[in-house]
Amino acid sequence: MKTDTNISGAHGAPVVALEKASMSFGPVHALVSADLVVRRGECIGLVGHNGAGKSTLVNVVNGRLTPTGGAVSYSELAAKASARNNAHAHASGVRSVFQELSLCPNLTVLENLRIPYRSMPRNGWRKTAKKMVMAALDQVFPNHGISANAVVGDLTIAERQMVEIAIAFSARDARANLVILDEPTSSLDAAIAQQLLEHIRTFCTNGGAVVFISHMLGEIFDVATRIVVMKDGQITEDRPTDGFTREGLVDAMGHVASHEEAGPNAHAKRNLGDVVVQLPNGLNARKGEIVGLAGLAGHGQAEALANYYLSETSAWRSTKTPKAAFVAGDRARDGVMPLWSILRNMSLLTLPEFSKRGLVDRGSEQKLADDWKAKIKIKANSLTDPLLSLSGGNQQKVLFAKALASSAPVVVMDDPMRGVDVGTKKEVYKMIRSEAQNGRTFLWYSTETDEVLECDRVFVFRDGEISAELVGEDITEENMLRASFEMQEAAE
């Protein structure tokens, strides 16, 4: 069974249109007088730094938010003309995949498809759901290796992202006419990400529309037919992709941090100390070294980091000198306390360092949080606001602040740049190099080649084992890819 990629309606016909749409949350103006028309057959690349208003815009488009000003119109009306915007969006085939995945972890893959399929027949629905979800996975991600009966909580974050994307494109009670993808490749390796980009092109060629949000500008230029730039809640640019250069797009977004060259040469002058990390699989790191873990997603990198971190921090009693700190890529599962404030999340790891006799020094806690809010440029009205009031990228900044503010000599980072804009990435790279210069050691797994090039030494994983160790000028994308795949020919 194949998913239906034939979209009703002519190419160029509007799916949704915003006219002077605004969204305010009290005194905060998250979206200001936005004009946007999304048409069939186009892929819109939506870009802007963290907190620029992208999430608010797409939540107005998909009907989750009703704008406080202006109007939103859809190609189809719900059964009741007086229905809310989300009903009109559903009737128009508008679907969303958010950076914070919304699958139910205690259900299987096929059961997660059942939730949005409102009119699925009751008799034999499991068989139907299995066929539909596997057809969607096969079409978007050939050779995915995911079982329809797998419990979502047992899947890797990359596999969960693949499942949610496939469900968004799947054939259901209403056709998918517009799919909004928010950082859809943030946990996918390059090969799987390319499969998604190819499917997006096919989907749009057949009359579908996509809004593609990504901080990876190469992907934007690769797949978008039109680019919309947001800054401070406003749409500041909207024109065809060929009307931008990479440098021009960065300029249009606005610089939020200094840009420095990536690569091993940035670390050539640092003196490294003794070995401070030595794992049974051969992975090791010296004091002041930035060690990268590379290879195709799901080949044991995250497990190696988790095993090391737990071995260093599993004691039940906290200490004032933690042995390791952790920055999670899957922040919803491993990183944040979603019901706590920004301040409490930032200070969680460092509380023992400025507490006496079990009492927290609130003044020191506040000063630490204020300092790191400024250092890493967390965009928040108040540190007492709930963490979930922040954009995804700003939530990730909180995790970095929590780890780097601690005295832990080793920082473990599991694909930590998910949803972080290019300017902030450069600033974080600079912080990591500075911390390494002062003797802190980093273990850094990333699915992005540009990040791995920031490392002093790289271990490439394949099938749960280290297949190569690269140093200095040998740290290249070609060498990492070569080590990631089984070579058919015998080594010479």
Side-chain angles (χ1 to χ4, degrees):
M1 179 178 179
K2 294 185 178 181
T3 54
D4 188 354
T5 56
N6 293 318
I7 310 298
S8 60
H11 277 62
V15 180
V16 59
L18 276 62
E19 183 178 358
K20 303 298 180 185
S22 297
M23 191 73 222
S24 297
F25 302 94
V28 178
H29 302 294
L31 186 65
V32 181
S33 201
D35 291 317
L36 179 69
V37 179
V38 183
R39 301 180 183 277
R40 300 178 188 276
E42 67 177 353
C43 175
I44 296 176
L46 181 59
V47 300
H49 292 301
N50 296 130
K54 304 185 299 295
S55 296
T56 303
L57 176 69
V58 299
N59 276 317
V60 169
V61 170
N62 66 26
R64 282 193 170 190
L65 293 175
T66 299
T68 53
V72 184
S73 58
Y74 296 92
S75 59
E76 301 289 340
L77 293 179
K80 295 181 179 179
S82 60
R84 297 174 63 88
N85 279 358
N86 61 349
H88 295 311
H90 179 264
S92 298
V94 179
R95 302 178 183 176
S96 301
V97 176
F98 294 100
Q99 188 180 344
E100 299 297 336
L101 302 181
S102 59
L103 298 174
C104 296
N106 60 320
L107 301 182
T108 64
V109 172
L110 70 88
E111 288 168 345
N112 270 277
L113 174 69
R114 175 69 178 83
I115 295 172
Y117 195 158
R118 302 180 182 182
S119 62
M120 180 174 286
R122 293 185 179 181
N123 294 330
W125 70 265
R126 286 184 176 275
K127 183 177 180 181
T128 301
K130 180 177 180 179
K131 287 182 178 179
M132 297 185 74
V133 75
M134 293 307 291
L137 280 166
D138 290 343
Q139 187 172 55
V140 184
F141 302 108
N143 304 314
H144 52 82
I146 299 172
S147 169
N149 294 311
V151 176
V152 166
D154 295 334
L155 301 179
T156 66
I157 186 171
E159 290 171 332
R160 280 180 277 151
Q161 195 161 29
M162 293 162 67
V163 169
E164 185 140 2
I165 291 168
I167 288 176
F169 281 105
S170 65
R172 302 204 298 260
D173 46 353
R175 294 175 181 271
N177 292 324
L178 167 60
V179 179
I180 300 169
L181 300 171
D182 187 354
E183 300 290 347
T185 65
S186 58
S187 296
L188 307 181
D189 62 43
I192 299 176
Q194 191 58 42
Q195 290 179 338
L196 173 60
L197 298 184
E198 291 174 0
H199 181 74
I200 290 172
R201 295 188 195 97
T202 300
F203 180 75
C204 293
T205 298
N206 289 327
V210 169
V211 173
F212 188 85
I213 303 172
S214 179
H215 291 303
M216 300 178 68
L217 300 187
E219 292 181 348
I220 294 290
F221 280 101
D222 192 11
V223 76
T225 56
R226 183 172 135 221
I227 296 178
V228 173
V229 182
M230 293 196 71
K231 186 176 180 181
D232 298 327
Q234 296 179 298
I235 294 177
T236 57
E237 299 281 354
D238 182 354
R239 58 179 189 263
T241 302
D242 58 12
F244 288 95
T245 63
R246 186 185 180 94
E247 294 75 15
L249 182 55
V250 171
D251 288 338
M253 292 167 60
H255 297 281
V256 297
S258 59
H259 289 246
E260 300 184 8
E261 291 298 322
N265 292 335
H267 321 290
K269 295 181 180 180
R270 282 193 289 107
N271 295 318
L272 304 178
D274 297 332
V275 173
V276 294
V277 176
Q278 181 69 65
L279 304 187
N281 64 359
L283 190 150
N284 60 82
R286 297 167 66 183
K287 182 179 180 180
E289 188 175 23
I290 304 172
V291 174
L293 284 70
L296 301 178
H299 279 246
Q301 304 94 325
E303 289 81 358
L305 291 183
N307 290 336
Y308 168 73
Y309 178 70
L310 291 174
S311 71
E312 296 295 303
T313 61
S314 57
W316 68 272
R317 185 187 295 273
S318 62
T319 66
K320 291 191 175 183
T321 55
K323 294 181 179 180
F326 182 64
V327 183
D330 188 357
R331 58 180 167 269
R333 186 184 68 180
D334 302 322
V336 301
M337 299 295 185
L339 301 182
W340 290 15
S341 68
I342 302 166
L343 173 65
R344 297 291 181 261
N345 272 276
M346 289 177 67
S347 65
L348 180 61
L349 189 60
T350 51
L351 283 179
E353 297 183 32
F354 45 75
S355 298
K356 294 180 180 180
R357 298 178 181 179
L359 298 177
V360 177
D361 184 339
R362 294 300 182 191
S364 297
E365 179 188 30
Q366 185 68 49
K367 183 178 184 304
L368 176 139
D370 288 338
D371 289 347
W372 279 95
K373 177 179 183 288
K375 281 183 181 180
I376 206 165
K377 298 179 176 64
I378 297 172
K379 191 171 183 178
N381 294 319
S382 171
L383 292 177
T384 60
D385 289 345
L387 181 81
L388 295 184
S389 67
L390 298 179
S391 66
N394 277 285
Q395 289 182 37
Q396 200 68 20
K397 291 181 187 181
V398 171
L399 292 187
F400 273 108
K402 180 177 73 173
L404 296 180
S406 76
S407 61
V410 179
V411 178
V412 178
M413 304 192 299
D414 182 6
D415 209 7
M417 301 291 190
R418 295 184 65 226
V420 177
D421 62 67
V422 62
T424 300
K425 284 181 180 180
K426 294 295 183 180
E427 191 66 22
V428 171
Y429 298 161
K430 182 179 178 181
M431 288 184 185
I432 290 172
R433 289 196 292 270
S434 175
E435 293 288 319
Q437 186 71 45
N438 293 328
R440 184 172 279 186
T441 302
F442 291 85
L443 300 179
W444 187 354
Y445 166 52
S446 178
T447 54
E448 296 186 30
T449 302
D450 288 347
E451 294 179 9
V452 180
L453 295 179
E454 292 285 332
C455 299
D456 301 309
R457 196 153 49 101
V458 173
F459 291 91
V460 184
F461 278 65
R462 184 178 66 220
D463 296 330
E465 299 180 353
I466 294 173
S467 60
E469 179 182 346
L470 307 176
V471 182
E473 294 182 356
D474 290 333
I475 303 176
T476 65
E477 182 175 14
E478 180 182 359
N479 286 339
M480 285 186 280
L481 287 173
R482 187 184 302 277
S484 297
F485 293 94
E486 292 280 355
M487 296 293 107
Q488 298 299 322
E489 299 84 0
E492 297 183 355

